[in-house]
């Protein structure tokens, strides 16, 4: 009887383990034109995504080596939006402390810190689907990618040495296929009455 109960227990543990592994959610990136609290997002310009690495000048470094399918949602370039008064906090999911994107308050720097007034960002989506991400506390400071050093910084809109408009991608459940883009249908028959 003891031997049989051990086998049953072992079988139950194996079944539980396999169902847990099979249930692990993977994600892919889908460009969006709106954001919401608790969503997971990736921010990109010209192939460079904003990651959680900070260099000496407090500018967020970026990487071109990023996946768009099969994501676990814990990658260093994934950010979770948390509701804030007047905007959102951008929390890096791979860090446990000092994980909020924050304008440093000096020059054009950004850094990772605990939540504060300079950690709030607003999203202004443009007609072309890109977004201007503005700091909620520092007037006229927008996130933007600059080629020199491949960094994201918080520049004033008057500084045109970098691009202000960022593409936003949300992590959505990966069904194993590629997203299909379908053109808007057009009609080749002129309008009018049809004899039947």
């Amino acid at each position: 009887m003891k031997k049989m109960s051990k086998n049953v227990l072992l079988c139950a543990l194996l079944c539980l383990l396999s169902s847990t592994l099979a249930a692990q959610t993977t994600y892919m990136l889908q460009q969006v034109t709106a954001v919401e609290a608790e969503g997971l997002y990736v921010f990109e310009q010209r192939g460079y995504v904003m990651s959680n690495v900070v260099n000496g000048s407090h500018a967020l470094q970026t990487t071109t080596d990023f996946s768009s399918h099969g994501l676990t949602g814990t990658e260093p370039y994934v950010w979770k939006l948390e509701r804030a008064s007047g905007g959102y906090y951008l929390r890096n999911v791979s860090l446990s402390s000092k994980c909020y994107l924050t304008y440093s308050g000096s020059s054009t720097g950004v850094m990772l810190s605990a939540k504060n007034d300079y950690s709030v960002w607003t999203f202004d989506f443009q007609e072309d689907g890109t977004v201007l991400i503005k700091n909620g506390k520092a007037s006229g400071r927008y996130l933007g990618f600059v080629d020199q050093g491949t960094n994201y910084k918080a520049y004033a809109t008057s500084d045109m040495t970098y691009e202000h408009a960022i593409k936003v991608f949300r992590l959505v459940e990966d069904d194993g296929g590629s997203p299909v883009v379908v053109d808007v249908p057009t009609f080749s028959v002129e309008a009018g009455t049809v004899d039947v």
Side-chain angles (χ1 to χ4, degrees), residues 24-38:
Q24 182 179 11
T25 303
T26 57
Y27 301 92
M28 63 181 180
L29 299 181
Q30 180 179 67
Q31 189 172 356
V32 294
T33 55
V35 293
E36 57 188 36
E38 302 307 310

Side-chain angles (χ1 to χ4, degrees), residues 109-126:
V110 291
M111 61 185 181
L112 293 165
S113 73
K115 283 182 191 176
N116 63 58
D117 290 346
Y118 288 97
S119 305
V120 179
W121 302 88
T122 62
F123 289 74
D124 182 13
F125 280 90
Q126 307 298 293

Side-chain angles (χ1 to χ4, degrees), residues 1-119:
M1 184 74 174
K2 275 188 175 180
K3 190 172 186 180
M4 185 172 182
S5 64
K6 283 183 182 178
N7 288 340
V8 170
L9 181 59
L10 181 60
C11 182
L13 285 172
L14 287 173
C15 288
L16 180 63
L17 179 61
S18 66
S19 67
T20 302
L21 291 174
Q24 182 179 11
T25 303
T26 57
Y27 301 92
M28 63 181 180
L29 299 181
Q30 180 179 67
Q31 189 172 356
V32 294
T33 55
V35 293
E36 57 188 36
E38 302 307 310
L40 298 175
Y41 296 92
V42 172
F43 305 103
E44 178 265 330
Q45 273 186 344
R46 285 182 277 156
Y48 288 88
V49 291
M50 196 167 67
S51 73
N52 67 359
V53 181
V54 179
N55 70 18
S57 65
H58 299 290
L60 244 63
Q61 293 179 335
T62 59
T63 176
T64 53
D65 183 21
F66 67 98
S67 300
S68 59
H69 284 273
L71 303 178
T72 63
T74 59
E75 287 75 11
Y77 50 85
V78 175
W79 301 83
K80 183 175 186 178
L81 296 191
E82 296 179 5
R83 177 68 66 192
S85 177
Y88 297 94
Y89 296 111
L90 274 66
R91 182 185 186 282
N92 190 274
V93 298
S94 64
L95 300 174
S96 57
S97 65
K98 293 187 176 179
C99 52
Y100 292 92
L101 180 65
T102 305
Y103 173 55
S104 67
S106 63
S107 186
T108 59
V110 291
M111 61 185 181
L112 293 165
S113 73
K115 283 182 191 176
N116 63 58
D117 290 346
Y118 288 97
S119 305

Side-chain angles (χ1 to χ4, degrees), residues 28-31 68-69 172 174-182:
M28 63 181 180
L29 299 181
Q30 180 179 67
Q31 189 172 356
S68 59
H69 284 273
V172 296
D174 194 346
D175 60 4
S178 297
V180 177
V181 178
V182 180

